[in-house]
């Protein structure tokens, strides 16, 4: 998903697949910073196309299409080995998949009620909270305050407010799940080889989402045009950005990666304007910038603490 995944979908030592070798060679020819930016815009383009699907399908059905497509595509490269897994491995994989399912369901519900930039900005509070908790410095209170100011500016105060409280609640739930995703991804990276943990989690996620997605989508899910768009959303939102980001992480410092990823809420707002004509008010742009600044500050501070600990 995203910025905080910890393993490489094309690093399956030994026996790297031929498609993975081709994609890795292509990615190696692009500067790592460009890979990160391409991944960010791929995610947001996927979210934009998904939001356009809401006119034909409910958010839960679109989530099912996205996750099912991602699971199938990732499974073509990484086939998780389920034989011989311990009980704790099964519990971790199932928990990881369930968290992934809830994260996507809640984010798409937020996306159906909020402009893209606002939904992503509020969701970004999840990884921001993980970053702040990891450093434990007094200066982190500044980043918490900035993020809090952003939320206050986004909150729909007054009867004429255009932002949905329900949308903000769903985005916050998505952010909490994103924080859980980060922690579970790290644990899965230690207990599963390569990306088999993520592949396992994607399969579990598809199974979890399937009942509600199929029930709400019904026969419309069988329309070829919608299936094709859903496949595109899965590629843009999951497979492509995940692969690009991990290729970038192999070739650049994590602090630079984190700084670039902090631009994601602003990128979402920009895609929202260009693709969906979601024009934001000055107050809303200020709120997004507060959250971006908080993410930048916490990322740089966490990196400094890490370097001091190693010196």
């Amino acid at each position: 998903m995203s910025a905080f995944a910890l393993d490489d979908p094309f690093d399956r030592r030994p026996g790297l697949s031929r498609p993975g070798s081709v994609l890795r060679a292509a990615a190696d020819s692009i500067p790592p910073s460009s890979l990160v930016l391409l991944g960010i815009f791929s995610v947001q383009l996927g979210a934009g196309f998904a939001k356009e699907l809401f006119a034909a399908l409910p958010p839960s059905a679109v989530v099912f299409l996205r996750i099912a497509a991602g699971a199938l595509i990732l499974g073509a490269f990484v086939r998780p080995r389920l034989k011989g897994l311990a009980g704790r491995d099964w519990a971790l994989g199932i928990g990881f998949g369930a968290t992934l399912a809830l994260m996507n369901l809640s984010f798409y519900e937020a996306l159906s009620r909020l402009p893209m930039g606002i939904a992503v900005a509020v969701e970004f509070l999840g990884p921001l909270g993980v970053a702040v908790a990891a450093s434990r410095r007094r200066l982190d209170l500044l980043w918490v305050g900035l993020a809090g100011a952003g939320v206050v500016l986004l909150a729909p105060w007054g009867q004429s407010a255009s932002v949905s409280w329900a949308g903000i609640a769903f985005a916050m739930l998505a952010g909490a799940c994103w924080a859980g995703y980060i922690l579970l991804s790290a644990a899965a990276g230690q207990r599963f080889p390569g990306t088999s943990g993520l592949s396992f989690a994607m399969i579990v996620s598809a199974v979890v989402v399937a009942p509600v997605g199929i029930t709400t989508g019904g026969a419309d899910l069988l329309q070829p045009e919608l299936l094709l768009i859903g496949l595109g959303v899965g590629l843009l939102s999951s497979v492509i950005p995940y692969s690009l980001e991990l290729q970038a992480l192999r070739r650049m410092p994590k602090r630079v990666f984190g700084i670039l990823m902090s631009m994601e809420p602003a990128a979402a707002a920009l895609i929202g304007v260009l693709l969906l004509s979601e024009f934001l008010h000055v107050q809303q742009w200020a709120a997004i910038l507060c959250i971006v600044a908080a993410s930048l500050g916490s990322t740089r501070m966490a990196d400094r603490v890490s370097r001091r600990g190693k010196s």
Side-chain angles (χ1 to χ4, degrees):
M1 143 144 213
S2 95
F4 302 92
L6 299 176
D7 46 5
D8 187 337
F10 300 126
D11 187 5
R12 294 195 288 162
R13 295 183 281 265
L16 186 67
S17 66
R18 188 172 181 179
S21 300
V22 173
L23 290 175
R24 176 183 288 179
D28 285 345
S29 66
I30 302 174
S33 58
S34 298
L35 291 176
V36 176
L37 294 176
L38 285 172
I40 289 173
F41 280 99
S42 178
V43 169
Q44 302 312 325
L45 276 174
F49 287 129
K51 188 163 186 174
E52 289 192 324
L53 271 181
F54 293 164
L57 292 171
S60 55
V62 178
V63 171
F64 172 65
L65 286 178
R66 169 188 170 172
I67 293 179
L72 288 172
I73 296 169
L74 185 60
F77 291 102
V78 183
R79 298 177 183 176
R81 296 180 180 178
L82 304 182
K83 292 183 179 180
L85 289 180
R88 291 183 179 179
D89 296 333
W90 278 98
L92 175 61
I94 292 171
F96 192 6
T99 301
L100 188 61
L102 182 58
M103 179 178 70
N104 282 282
L105 281 170
S106 53
F107 175 69
Y108 274 42
E109 289 292 345
L111 200 61
S112 69
R113 294 169 171 82
L114 299 172
M116 274 183 57
I118 294 177
V120 173
V122 176
E123 185 197 26
F124 220 73
L125 296 175
L128 173 61
V130 173
V132 169
S135 60
R136 298 178 182 178
R137 291 174 60 90
R138 291 184 179 179
L139 187 58
D140 290 331
L141 294 176
L142 172 61
W143 317 131
V144 173
L146 267 176
V151 173
V152 169
L153 289 172
L154 289 175
W157 308 114
Q159 296 181 351
S160 61
S162 59
V163 176
S164 163
W165 276 112
I168 289 180
F170 275 118
M172 286 185 169
L173 176 59
C177 290
W178 192 355
Y181 170 89
I182 295 169
L183 301 176
L184 290 170
S185 178
Q190 295 174 353
R191 300 180 76 83
F192 291 85
T195 55
S196 59
L198 177 65
S199 184
F200 181 22
M202 288 288 287
I203 294 171
V204 171
S205 182
V207 171
V208 170
V209 172
V212 63
I214 294 173
T215 300
T216 57
D220 289 336
L221 287 171
L222 300 178
Q223 295 184 31
E225 181 181 356
L226 297 182
L227 285 173
L228 185 61
I229 297 174
L231 177 63
V233 170
L235 279 168
L236 288 169
S237 299
S238 300
V239 179
I240 292 175
Y242 182 78
S243 304
L244 291 176
E245 290 165 6
L246 289 174
Q247 289 297 318
L249 272 171
R250 295 172 56 238
R251 299 160 50 199
M252 70 190 307
K254 288 185 178 180
R255 62 181 178 83
V256 178
F257 179 84
I259 290 170
L260 289 172
M261 287 305 302
S262 299
M263 299 293 104
E264 192 160 353
L270 181 60
I271 293 295
V273 170
L274 296 177
L275 185 63
L276 304 172
S277 299
E278 294 179 342
F279 297 99
L280 303 179
H281 304 302
V282 173
Q283 179 175 323
Q284 293 169 334
W285 277 109
I288 291 172
L289 290 176
C290 282
I291 293 173
V292 168
S295 179
L296 280 169
S298 65
T299 300
R300 290 180 62 85
M301 185 56 61
D303 175 67
R304 289 180 183 177
V305 171
S306 176
R307 283 187 291 176
R308 286 177 183 175
K310 293 178 181 179
S311 61

